Amino acid sequence: MSKVYILGGAQTDFERNWKKEGKGMVAILKEVVADGLENAGLSFDDVKGLNQENRVACFVGNFIAEKYVDQGHLGAFLTEVDPAFYGVPSARYEAACASSSVAIDAAATKIRADEYDVAIVVGWELMKTVDSLTGGDFLGRAAYYEKEGKGIELPFPKLFGKLADETLKKYPELDEKRYMDALARISVINFANAKRNPLAQTRRWFMSYEQASTRGTETNPLVGGKLGVSDCSQVTDGAAVVVLCSEKYMAERGYKDKPIIKGYGHRTAPMLFEKKMADNEGSEYTLPWTRQACMDAYRRAGLDVEDIDVFETHDCFTSSEYAAISAFGLTEPGKEYEAVERGLIAFGGDKPINPSGGLIGCGHPVGASGTRMFLDLYKQVTGTAGDYQVDGVQNGMMLNIGGSATTNYVFIVGKE
């Protein structure tokens, strides 16, 4: 396959509340696109010139702006960012929480096919426009809404609470106390990592092991089954941009040492959670299609878990990160707690997960999470992650899921 290079990108500060600032969709797009292009070494004049030669396209990831900001036709809104985007091919991609990973995949595919030389990928979501219960109902549409979301208060904490229950059911030798302790430690790791990240939503928050491990209290109420507030990702306003390019464009600009997409995986599991659980009965894994997406990425990259130095994963809840540990191949299925207990996935461990803080610590603007994770892999590989930089990163891997692990996207980014 033709190589796809990553020129750079940008992320907004996930701590911000854009509605309180009196700003909306166009404002967040203007800010993140301008910052992303500058980081990638491009200008609006460059975009205009590339478009005149039909060499650039834009790919927008967003889950449900039709609900949060009453707006569709989102690909076309880049024309409101700058006149340089007049005429540039642009469209919106959607796959729930994996929306911007679909956009990255589409962009990379167009470059591999020699259709374009530069692809600008934007992921965004504005979620603080409504109260938490209304927002929870909106997010229920990432599941089978009529059967799993409609009329259910905060449906996704309940679905991933069920994942915790199913994990204990699938591995009867797994002690419940040990499992819940591992989930608490995953939460603490992500909150601690976020303190290193100047763009993380929870960088000023406090989370102790005592609080995370004591659920059902005033400071950590239960939200879904066994899961407490400490087990949940955040409601976030945010956007992220990454800029991809072809080998031809790299040569034209004289760029050196830019990372490439080494591998990817994309698998879709049954929509209903109960069908996913029925589907996994013949597998060692709680989420077999998630594991398959990881295996596809390893195969395409010609790499294995031993070659990966850092991971970013979709910790919408601690139970999803727990399942990801074996999906990546860091432990045998059912033994994920071992990676937590021995510090393997901690910031200073051999296989750190979510040095950015992840969705729990950094934040989870749904349509932006894929691009944000991808951008963080770029930062780690290029040594530009600042205080949350992991030493000696050659290759990084990310897992972005949509719904209750219905859509599964994996990318491996590394040095050429």
Side-chain angles (χ1 to χ4, degrees), residues 166 169-171 267-293 404-406 408:
E166 289 291 337
K169 180 181 175 182
K170 189 169 185 67
Y171 309 113
R267 293 283 176 159
T268 306
M271 191 74 179
L272 284 167
F273 182 81
E274 63 184 34
K275 289 188 177 180
K276 291 185 185 71
M277 295 303 101
D279 183 62
N280 77 21
E281 289 182 2
S283 170
E284 296 178 278
Y285 295 87
T286 314
L287 302 173
W289 293 116
T290 308
R291 170 60 175 167
Q292 188 60 58
S404 54
T406 302
N408 299 272

Side-chain angles (χ1 to χ4, degrees), residues 230-262:
S230 63
D231 295 295
C232 301
S233 58
Q234 308 307 318
V235 175
T236 314
D237 287 347
V241 166
V242 292
V243 182
L244 310 180
C245 81
S246 66
E247 193 167 6
K248 176 182 177 183
Y249 189 75
M250 281 281 293
E252 287 177 7
R253 296 292 291 252
Y255 290 134
K256 303 289 184 184
D257 301 324
K258 292 292 184 180
I260 62 171
I261 300 176
K262 290 189 171 181

Side-chain angles (χ1 to χ4, degrees), residues 150-390:
K150 190 174 182 179
I152 298 174
E153 186 176 298
L154 301 175
F156 265 90
K158 291 178 173 61
L159 284 170
F160 280 89
K162 289 181 180 178
L163 178 60
D165 294 337
E166 289 291 337
T167 300
L168 290 166
K169 180 181 175 182
K170 189 169 185 67
Y171 309 113
E173 71 281 3
L174 176 58
D175 178 70
E176 180 175 336
K177 186 178 183 301
R178 193 171 207 172
Y179 174 65
M180 296 307 296
D181 180 75
L183 297 192
R185 293 182 187 279
I186 285 170
S187 175
V188 172
I189 289 169
N190 283 305
F191 278 106
N193 288 348
K195 289 186 175 297
R196 301 183 179 91
N197 184 348
L199 298 176
Q201 185 172 356
T202 71
R203 61 186 183 266
R204 293 180 237 271
W205 293 23
F206 171 80
M207 179 60 65
S208 66
Y209 169 74
E210 181 181 11
Q211 182 174 345
S213 61
T214 310
R215 301 171 180 88
T217 64
E218 184 178 353
T219 57
N220 192 16
L222 293 172
V223 293
K226 296 177 174 63
L227 303 184
V229 167
S230 63
D231 295 295
C232 301
S233 58
Q234 308 307 318
V235 175
T236 314
D237 287 347
V241 166
V242 292
V243 182
L244 310 180
C245 81
S246 66
E247 193 167 6
K248 176 182 177 183
Y249 189 75
M250 281 281 293
E252 287 177 7
R253 296 292 291 252
Y255 290 134
K256 303 289 184 184
D257 301 324
K258 292 292 184 180
I260 62 171
I261 300 176
K262 290 189 171 181
Y264 73 95
H266 176 202
R267 293 283 176 159
T268 306
M271 191 74 179
L272 284 167
F273 182 81
E274 63 184 34
K275 289 188 177 180
K276 291 185 185 71
M277 295 303 101
D279 183 62
N280 77 21
E281 289 182 2
S283 170
E284 296 178 278
Y285 295 87
T286 314
L287 302 173
W289 293 116
T290 308
R291 170 60 175 167
Q292 188 60 58
C294 293
M295 294 298 291
D296 291 343
Y298 285 134
R299 173 179 54 80
R300 289 184 171 111
L303 301 173
D304 207 339
V305 64
E306 291 82 7
D307 303 302
I308 307 300
D309 304 300
V310 68
F311 297 82
E312 284 285 331
T313 199
H314 196 102
D315 56 320
C316 51
F317 298 90
T318 54
S319 56
S320 64
E321 179 169 336
Y322 188 92
I325 291 170
S326 59
F328 286 136
L330 293 172
T331 68
E332 295 295 319
K335 303 289 186 180
E336 294 88 347
Y337 63 87
E338 295 179 350
V340 183
E341 291 178 356
R342 70 175 189 261
L344 182 72
I345 66 169
F347 185 79
D350 289 340
K351 300 290 183 181
I353 293 180
N354 289 344
S356 67
L359 280 59
I360 287 173
C362 185
H364 184 27
V366 173
S369 284
T371 43
R372 195 279 304 160
M373 283 191 265
F374 191 90
L375 177 63
D376 269 314
L377 294 188
Y378 166 84
K379 290 178 180 179
Q380 291 291 343
V381 171
T382 57
T384 56
D387 289 342
Y388 63 101
Q389 178 68 51
V390 174

